[in-house]
Amino acid sequence: MNLFGPSLERLVVALRCLPGVGPKSAQRMAFHLLESDQTGGRRLADALIEALDKITHCQACRILSETDLCAFCVNPKRNHSQLCVVEMPSDVQAIEQTTAYQGLYFVLMGHLSSLDGIGPTALGMDLLAERLDKNEIHEVILATNLTVEGEATAYYIGELARGRKITVTRIAHGVPLGGELEFVDSNTLSHAFKGRQHL
Amino acid sequence: MNLFGPSLERLVVALRCLPGVGPKSAQRMAFHLLESDQTGGRRLADALIEALDKITHCQACRILSETDLCAFCVNPKRNHSQLCVVEMPSDVQAIEQTTAYQGLYFVLMGHLSSLDGIGPTALGMDLLAERLDKNEIHEVILATNLTVEGEATAYYIGELARGRKITVTRIAHGVPLGGELEFVDSNTLSHAFKGRQHL
Ligand SMILES: [Zn+2]
Ligand SMILES: [Zn+2]
């Protein structure tokens, strides 16, 4: 039991659901909210409830969205013939911070994982297949992570697209720009060698 | 505007009221709650509202408490003749993690600061004076921080107590146990010299 009662204890425990927050930071956060920023605390509770109530997934691409179709899917300025497939909405965020891509997205919300029992249906592959059947997509760009699961997922989607005669590409992986070889991990480096191109 | 709509944007902003959370971590936290732990998010919102609604300050010592009198003030096993004065409830937490102290507390919720317009009334000095007038306290232990404001606050309370012929002590400050001199900051070190005692 917490020195200051069960509600404070519950708050400390609840704060630990946040990534990177251990018992010490959770306690510091709880004290801060109660001692110095009750307004911030209420605003956070309201924002949490509002976000959890309102935010759902786009019916076309599964991106986090407050509307049935997301801002990407309804934007006529985006290239509707390119579809970039990513694992998570945060991947979309990262890609959008560049201006390298102007097409649409499809968010799997994970990757194939027999270990965790995550199959094609959980990843919305039916929806993706329907989407590809509409003949609007000319290129599927695979941007799943470079992990065993991410690669297996990319392979699976590649087959879906190729079966429909749609061009399939995979974003390049290798040594990051400005990355010094000695600081690049060996997986990335071996991938950079395998993916070497003729000059 | 956030890529994924105003609710997500508001959640990211709201999360930044947490100490140590910058824009990047706030975004990571928001994605995590929406993508992977909606249950945790709802539990956090509920815990926040419950804590903010229920937790108030003990009427006798201003510690965070869900009841009019806190668990310390109603505990007959504590020494009711000693009163340790601290700035924040988190200080109580730190002291209670030792078993060095078995008396009661008084929490100022801050320190005297002419800069921030915080005077004796805001710190509950009236309540403290009334408490001292009851002749139950035989020793006031000053555990405010070793800052200009903390020292000024300690001095003020020392006067309150001495005026009522109550023993006043200040917790010792100096080099921490196991602390190597070269890693101790110079303020602490100079304090350790000034506070040196005969062997
Ligand atoms: Zn969409
Ligand atoms: Zn109390």
Side-chain angles (χ1 to χ4, degrees):
Chain A
M1 230 279 287
N2 191 288
L3 288 175
F4 306 111
S7 304
L8 184 57
E9 176 67 19
R10 268 194 290 276
L11 177 56
V12 171
V13 171
L15 281 163
R16 294 197 52 194
C17 79
L18 299 171
V21 175
K24 280 248 165 184
S25 349
Q27 193 135 57
R28 203 174 64 242
M29 286 173 171
F31 278 129
H32 173 80
L33 293 173
L34 292 165
E35 289 167 2
S36 324
D37 195 7
Q38 301 216 357
T39 315
R42 297 229 177 248
R43 198 183 306 124
L44 176 55
D46 291 346
L48 269 169
I49 291 166
E50 193 198 356
L52 289 164
D53 284 347
K54 282 198 185 166
I55 298 174
T56 172
H57 295 276
C58 170
Q59 290 177 1
C61 76
R62 307 195 0 142
I63 269 181
L64 293 176
S65 171
E66 291 182 29
T67 43
D68 286 353
L69 289 177
C70 73
F72 295 99
C73 287
V74 298
N75 185 348
K77 290 184 187 153
R78 307 285 303 200
N79 181 345
H80 284 238
S81 73
Q82 285 184 315
L83 192 71
C84 176
V85 182
V86 297
E87 295 187 17
M88 295 305 247
S90 42
D91 299 327
V92 172
Q93 180 99 7
I95 295 170
E96 286 296 307
Q97 273 162 15
T98 76
T99 49
Y101 181 66
Q102 292 298 323
L104 301 184
Y105 291 97
F106 190 87
V107 183
L108 300 166
M109 299 300 297
H111 45 234
L112 291 174
S113 167
S114 48
L115 210 69
D116 300 322
I118 300 171
T121 315
L123 301 177
M125 296 294 189
D126 302 352
L127 183 64
L128 178 58
E130 274 176 44
R131 186 88 179 268
L132 299 182
D133 281 335
K134 286 184 188 153
N135 278 327
E136 286 162 1
I137 307 294
H138 300 143
E139 180 184 4
V140 169
I141 300 168
L142 301 169
T144 54
N145 293 332
L146 200 65
T147 56
V148 175
E149 296 88 354
E151 288 283 52
T153 310
Y155 180 83
Y156 184 97
I157 298 165
E159 291 297 294
L160 273 189
R162 268 186 291 268
R164 290 163 175 83
K165 310 250 185 288
I166 298 169
T167 304
V168 182
T169 58
R170 178 104 171 95
I171 60 165
H173 293 92
V175 176
L177 265 67
E180 294 183 53
L181 288 195
E182 63 174 317
F183 299 120
V184 172
D185 69 284
S186 60
N187 279 338
T188 304
L189 206 51
S190 73
H191 200 90
F193 271 88
K194 277 186 222 149
R196 69 191 182 278
Q197 300 183 347
H198 279 286
L199 283 180
Chain B
M1 229 280 287
N2 192 287
L3 287 176
F4 306 111
S7 304
L8 185 56
E9 177 67 18
R10 269 194 289 276
L11 177 56
V12 171
V13 171
L15 281 163
R16 295 196 52 193
C17 79
L18 298 172
V21 175
K24 280 248 167 184
S25 347
Q27 193 136 58
R28 204 175 65 242
M29 286 174 172
F31 278 130
H32 172 81
L33 292 174
L34 291 164
E35 289 166 2
S36 325
D37 195 7
Q38 301 217 356
T39 315
R42 296 228 176 250
R43 200 183 304 124
L44 176 54
D46 291 346
L48 268 169
I49 290 166
E50 193 199 356
L52 289 164
D53 284 347
K54 282 197 186 168
I55 298 175
T56 173
H57 294 275
C58 170
Q59 290 176 1
C61 76
R62 308 194 0 141
I63 269 180
L64 293 175
S65 172
E66 290 182 29
T67 43
D68 287 351
L69 289 176
C70 74
F72 295 99
C73 287
V74 299
N75 184 348
K77 289 183 188 154
R78 307 286 303 201
N79 180 346
H80 284 237
S81 72
Q82 285 185 316
L83 192 71
C84 176
V85 182
V86 297
E87 295 188 17
M88 295 306 250
S90 41
D91 300 326
V92 172
Q93 181 100 5
I95 295 170
E96 286 297 306
Q97 272 163 15
T98 75
T99 49
Y101 181 65
Q102 293 299 321
L104 301 184
Y105 291 97
F106 191 88
V107 183
L108 301 167
M109 297 302 295
H111 46 236
L112 292 175
S113 166
S114 47
L115 210 70
D116 299 324
I118 300 171
T121 315
L123 301 177
M125 295 294 188
D126 302 350
L127 182 63
L128 178 58
E130 273 176 45
R131 186 86 179 268
L132 298 182
D133 281 335
K134 286 186 186 152
N135 279 325
E136 285 164 2
I137 307 295
H138 300 144
E139 181 184 2
V140 169
I141 300 168
L142 301 168
T144 54
N145 293 333
L146 201 64
T147 57
V148 175
E149 295 88 354
E151 289 282 52
T153 311
Y155 179 82
Y156 185 97
I157 297 166
E159 290 298 292
L160 273 189
R162 267 188 292 269
R164 289 163 177 81
K165 311 249 185 286
I166 297 168
T167 304
V168 181
T169 58
R170 179 107 172 91
I171 59 164
H173 293 93
V175 177
L177 265 66
E180 294 183 54
L181 288 195
E182 63 173 320
F183 299 122
V184 172
D185 69 283
S186 59
N187 280 337
T188 304
L189 206 49
S190 72
H191 200 89
F193 270 88
K194 277 186 221 146
R196 67 192 182 278
Q197 299 183 346
H198 280 286
L199 282 180

